[in-house]
Amino acid sequence: MSSLPVGATHESLRESVPPASAAQINARIDRLPAARAVWTLVLLIATGGWFEFYDLFFTAYVGPGLVKSGLYSTTTASFFGFSGLGAFVAASFAGLFIGTFCFTGLADRYGRRTMFTASLLWYSAATCVMALQTSAPAINLWRLIAGIGVGIELVTIDTYVSELVPKHMRGRAFAFVHLVQYTAVPTVALLAWWFVPRAPLGFDGWRWVVMFGAAGALIAWAIRRNVPESARWLAQRGRHDEAARVLATLEAKIEAQTGRLLPAPPLATESATAAPPRKARFSEIWQPPYRRRTITLLVFNLFQAIGFYGFASWVPTLLVSKGVTITHSLLYAFVIAASNPFGPLIGMAIADRIERKTLVVLSALAIAVFGSLFAMQTSPVMLMVLGVLITLGGTLLSVGYHAYQVELFPTRMRATAVGFVYSMSRLSAMFSGFMIAFALRHFGVPGVFALITGAMVAVMAAIGLFGPRTNNRSLDDISH
């Protein structure tokens, strides 16, 4: 039965709850069970992220169509050739770099929910405009603009989810978010298989694939109406009464769903009369204990993007380079892409049982080993099998590090700090487009995977040797 007092309603409860300190809010969140109300919030955020992943991954699958239409070439004579497919990939990651480096701090200033909605609308509109362009420079420009919105959204979602869920389910929550998001990959692969080789209604197939991704704007406001602002962020900003009302509403839903009272939270270490909230300062990330974490994550992100996107963004093109036709390469790529959600499914089973850093290291090892084997194969069956194994390693790596890096910084500067370290992966991925194209032109597929293997070794060293442990620890505990 519900624990609401006689004559009380959820609305009256929201009006009557007293304010609480940031530490009290955090303690109350961390003792919540993994109830349906919590998972519903995670699902809504993940749904918005689905379009972000669709936008992020269609780069690989529209590539053959862009080449087929004559707008781009697979490789270029010079390293920085802007009519080559590498330029399109680079434009995507240039936008992502600008978004993560320059604008993610807005989520620390204006709130997680506001920036979640704004960035979703931003990249949906820019993607729609990009689909209508008729020259490589114009497509690159609008791809860059769309990438800015995606970059903001990537960090905002990670920050949002880490603050909404209790500590005992952070790993599973991030795995579930990725499970939902990664279903976008087989979707875009299937649409590319259907549309890219054709021109329905005289409209190039790749344009249809891109336009579908702009549909995210249609659900932005629906999500906004049903997802509250982060109570941790509100409390950190000194808006304690709002934080208490948001959390009281969630607690009431959980008690109504479970039919029992929530346990009392552990005693907080600070009182409601604690010092005024501190504003995020960029210089803090270069002070102990954050300096070591920042440097570790900068190195990690520099190399993980080469390994992750070096394969994910080039799957059809790498298959074509192995002698597979465009139509068949897209079919094989769809089979590989269909395995994407299975990585997060595995993650939901193990993410809160093993250390996050261990998951990252083992996933990077899998990419290195299976990637090296992929480079030596010519059999379509083995290419697909190894492609699936590389993909599982990549998605588990993504689950692990997206949860991991947001845990290492405090609420007041979480989006700012994560945006900064994550921007290194965007910068790396931007140049990886040229690096992969260069390696493919001069050394073939084996050269591409030699590059990827070297990057994964650096990833394992950075996190394995210098990353702190985070599993089942409160965000406050980790960030001090």
Side-chain angles (χ1 to χ4, degrees):
M1 59 182 289
S2 172
S3 64
L4 289 176
V6 176
T9 65
H10 288 172
E11 190 65 35
S12 64
L13 178 63
R14 290 196 295 270
E15 295 299 325
S16 62
V17 291
S21 71
Q24 291 168 338
I25 291 292
N26 292 340
R28 286 168 61 185
I29 292 174
D30 280 339
R31 102 315 187 176
L32 296 177
R36 186 172 74 249
V38 179
W39 283 112
T40 299
L41 295 178
V42 177
L43 175 61
L44 287 169
I45 295 173
T47 301
W50 187 94
F51 289 93
E52 161 221 333
F53 263 49
Y54 182 97
D55 192 280
L56 193 63
F57 280 93
F58 75 54
T59 300
Y61 297 98
V62 302
L66 290 169
V67 174
K68 180 174 175 283
S69 68
L71 291 168
Y72 291 85
S73 58
T74 303
T75 60
T76 57
S78 61
F79 188 82
F80 290 105
F82 290 98
S83 63
L85 196 58
F88 179 70
V89 176
S92 303
F93 289 107
L96 288 165
F97 172 74
I98 295 170
T100 54
F101 185 80
C102 299
F103 298 112
T104 51
L106 295 175
D108 284 332
R109 182 174 181 179
Y110 296 110
R112 316 317 192 194
R113 186 173 71 157
T114 297
M115 294 312 301
F116 173 83
T117 307
S119 56
L120 180 57
L121 292 172
W122 174 279
Y123 73 70
S124 295
T127 296
C128 184
V129 174
M130 189 200 81
L132 303 176
Q133 303 307 305
T134 57
S135 68
I139 292 172
N140 290 342
L141 173 63
W142 283 100
R143 188 66 189 133
L144 183 148
I145 294 171
I148 294 174
V150 177
I152 299 170
E153 186 83 340
L154 280 165
V155 175
T156 302
I157 286 176
D158 288 353
T159 303
Y160 212 171
V161 172
S162 72
E163 294 173 1
L164 283 177
V165 302
K167 63 183 180 182
H168 62 84
M169 61 173 287
R170 272 201 307 269
R172 284 174 291 158
F174 273 89
F176 180 72
V177 168
H178 279 70
L179 171 62
V180 174
Q181 290 175 322
Y182 273 117
T183 61
V185 184
T187 301
V188 70
L190 181 61
L191 289 173
W193 180 40
W194 284 344
F195 286 106
V196 167
R198 304 170 181 86
L201 303 179
F203 202 54
D204 287 340
W206 70 266
R207 299 182 191 273
W208 288 100
V209 177
V210 171
M211 287 292 288
F212 185 82
L218 301 177
I219 67 167
W221 291 109
I223 294 175
R224 180 179 173 83
R225 286 175 58 86
N226 290 283
V227 179
E229 182 55 86
S230 163
R232 296 186 201 259
W233 178 82
L234 288 169
Q236 180 60 46
R237 299 287 291 185
R239 295 159 62 176
H240 301 296
D241 53 346
E242 294 177 64
R245 284 196 297 270
V246 166
L247 188 50
T249 301
L250 178 59
E251 290 170 332
K253 288 181 180 178
I254 292 173
E255 290 182 344
Q257 290 171 358
T258 61
R260 57 180 181 270
L261 292 172
L262 289 169
L267 293 177
T269 57
E270 74 177 26
S271 68
T273 59
R278 295 165 55 189
K279 292 185 178 180
R281 291 184 295 109
F282 181 76
S283 60
E284 273 192 88
I285 69 174
W286 301 112
Q287 299 170 3
Y290 309 120
R291 180 172 56 212
R292 175 171 169 163
R293 299 176 184 187
T294 298
I295 294 172
T296 297
L297 289 175
L298 284 172
V299 173
F300 165 78
N301 279 297
L302 174 66
F303 289 102
Q304 67 86 5
I306 296 174
F308 185 83
Y309 292 107
F311 182 73
S313 294
W314 286 78
V315 174
T317 304
L318 290 172
L319 289 170
V320 169
S321 297
K322 298 285 286 185
V324 180
T325 65
I326 288 180
T327 301
H328 284 126
S329 77
L330 290 171
L331 174 60
Y332 297 162
F334 169 68
V335 174
I336 293 171
S339 67
N340 271 277
F342 291 95
L345 271 177
I346 297 171
M348 288 189 70
I350 65 174
D352 287 313
R353 297 184 179 183
I354 66 173
E355 273 297 329
R356 221 86 71 207
K357 62 181 289 184
T358 303
L359 178 60
V360 169
V361 170
L362 293 178
S363 300
L365 178 62
I367 294 172
V369 172
F370 296 131
S372 298
L373 294 174
F374 183 96
M376 297 184 288
Q377 296 298 319
T378 56
S379 163
V381 173
M382 288 306 300
L383 286 171
M384 284 191 290
V385 169
L386 289 168
V388 166
L389 293 173
I390 295 168
T391 299
L392 291 177
T395 52
L396 282 170
L397 175 69
S398 184
V399 167
Y401 85 76
H402 276 278
Y404 189 63
Q405 61 188 8
V406 293
E407 294 175 315
L408 301 186
F409 300 99
T411 300
R412 65 180 177 275
M413 65 172 184
R414 182 165 292 119
T416 301
V418 173
F420 173 67
V421 297
Y422 196 43
S423 70
M424 181 58 69
S425 74
R426 309 302 89 184
L427 186 64
S428 172
M430 177 175 63
F431 287 104
S432 76
F434 296 109
M435 294 167 67
I436 296 294
F438 181 83
L440 186 60
R441 178 181 178 86
H442 294 283
F443 305 104
V445 175
V448 171
F449 280 100
L451 179 65
I452 290 174
T453 298
M456 290 299 97
V457 170
V459 162
M460 290 185 282
I463 298 300
L465 296 177
F466 303 105
R469 297 177 179 272
T470 63
N471 273 40
N472 204 31
R473 296 173 62 192
S474 71
L475 292 176
D476 282 346
D477 182 33
I478 298 169
S479 64
H480 291 92

